[in-house]
């Protein structure tokens, strides 16, 4: 019974993370159209399902969308002009933030009067993005078995992410230790240099005063 409550809590948490986001985006001229970007960090090789829908509104507005990441390669995952409703699936190419940007461009001939469009957005990743209905039909699984399989895949995703974070922590720790070693070496060098300069100053002043017969 305790295990059932744990699985239920995990399922509720995953469902909350995959909830749909709804927001309004004001229309502005295409040159400087209003943009809103949403991002989520995902490890490399993660399967992603992204759903976007534009609700009906006042005419004269065009929603454009583009998806990319912030890795050094700036991988592009998709773009849509004059968006109405779309479902996109892709696999991430790098450990990076996946960024989805929406732009509401005001069509020519329309004045900027504060009109907006409502966008419904949902991004699922890992096990939540997998289509298990096909597997359920092929293997004739019960709904509980499907959820257990989804939870198992989710736990695998979490384990992979923790492993990546552990590796990254090790890399950062090694970099930090190297930097500390360089700082320590530089500190010893600075102290030694200051000691040499101080000794030189003392010797120079002593010789100067002896030449002037002050001591």
């Amino acid at each position: 019974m305790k295990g059932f409550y744990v699985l239920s809590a995990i399922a509720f948490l995953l469902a909350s993370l995959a909830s749909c986001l709804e927001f309004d985006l004001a229309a502005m001229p295409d040159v400087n159209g209003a943009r809103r970007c949403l991002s989520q960090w995902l490890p490399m090789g993660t399967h992603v399902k992204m759903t976007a829908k534009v609700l009906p509104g006042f005419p004269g507005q065009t929603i454009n969308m583009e998806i990319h990441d912030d890795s050094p390669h700036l991988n592009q995952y998709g773009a849509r002009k004059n968006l109405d409703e779309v479902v996109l699936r892709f696999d991430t190419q790098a450990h990076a933030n996946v960024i989805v940007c929406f732009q509401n461009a005001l069509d020519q001939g329309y004045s900027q009067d504060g009109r907006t469009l409502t966008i419904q957005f949902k991004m699922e990743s890992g096990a939540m993005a997998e289509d298990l209905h096909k597997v359920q039909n092929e293997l004739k699984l019960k709904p509980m078995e499907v959820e257990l399989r989804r939870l198992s895949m989710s736990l695998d995703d979490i384990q992979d992410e923790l492993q990546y974070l552990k590796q990254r922590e090790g890399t950062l720790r090694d970099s930090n230790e190297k930097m500390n070693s360089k700082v320590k070496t530089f500190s010893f060098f600075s102290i030694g240099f200051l000691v040499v300069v101080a000794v030189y100053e003392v010797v120079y002043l002593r010789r100067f005063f002896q030449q002037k017969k002050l001591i």
Side-chain angles (χ1 to χ4, degrees), residues 50-213:
M50 196 223 66
T51 306
K53 180 179 180 181
V54 181
L55 301 183
F58 290 103
Q61 305 176 83
T62 302
I63 297 293
N64 301 321
M65 181 193 71
E66 61 180 19
I67 310 173
H68 62 278
D69 63 27
D70 61 356
S71 67
H73 298 289
L74 296 177
N75 299 298
Q76 301 292 324
Y77 297 114
R80 288 293 186 275
K81 299 289 186 180
N82 196 11
L83 178 67
D84 181 18
E85 184 175 2
V86 66
V87 178
L88 294 177
R89 291 180 178 271
F90 57 89
D91 295 324
T92 56
Q93 302 299 316
H95 299 291
N97 288 301
V98 176
I99 304 172
V100 184
C101 292
F102 296 92
Q103 179 187 33
N104 189 359
L106 186 65
D107 297 342
Q108 294 183 357
Y110 290 88
S111 59
Q112 187 175 342
D113 54 4
R115 64 185 66 196
T116 63
L117 282 176
T118 301
I119 301 173
Q120 292 180 342
F121 172 77
K122 185 177 183 180
M123 185 163 67
E124 301 169 296
S125 61
M128 299 303 297
E130 298 292 341
D131 186 7
L132 295 181
H133 295 291
K134 183 178 180 181
V135 178
Q136 181 180 8
N137 295 331
E138 291 178 352
L139 301 180
K140 298 181 180 180
L141 300 176
K142 297 180 181 180
M144 180 59 70
E145 292 175 332
V146 174
E147 289 303 319
L148 288 175
R149 176 168 294 200
R150 188 185 300 275
L151 289 174
S152 177
M153 295 172 63
S154 299
L155 292 176
D156 291 339
D157 293 338
I158 294 173
Q159 184 176 1
D160 292 341
E161 184 171 348
L162 290 176
Q163 183 65 27
Y164 166 74
L165 293 176
K166 183 178 179 180
Q167 294 176 355
R168 181 165 180 170
E169 180 187 3
T171 302
L172 293 176
R173 183 175 60 251
D174 293 340
S175 300
N176 187 36
E177 290 177 355
K178 291 181 180 178
M179 182 61 66
N180 289 337
S181 178
K182 291 180 180 180
V183 171
K184 186 182 296 184
T185 302
F186 179 76
S187 299
F188 288 146
F189 175 78
S190 300
I191 293 174
F193 178 76
L194 292 175
V195 170
V196 171
V197 171
V199 172
Y200 173 78
E201 288 291 337
V202 171
V203 173
Y204 174 80
L205 291 175
R206 180 181 180 84
R207 183 178 301 175
F208 174 79
F209 288 135
Q210 287 178 347
Q211 290 177 351
K212 297 297 183 179
K213 296 181 180 180

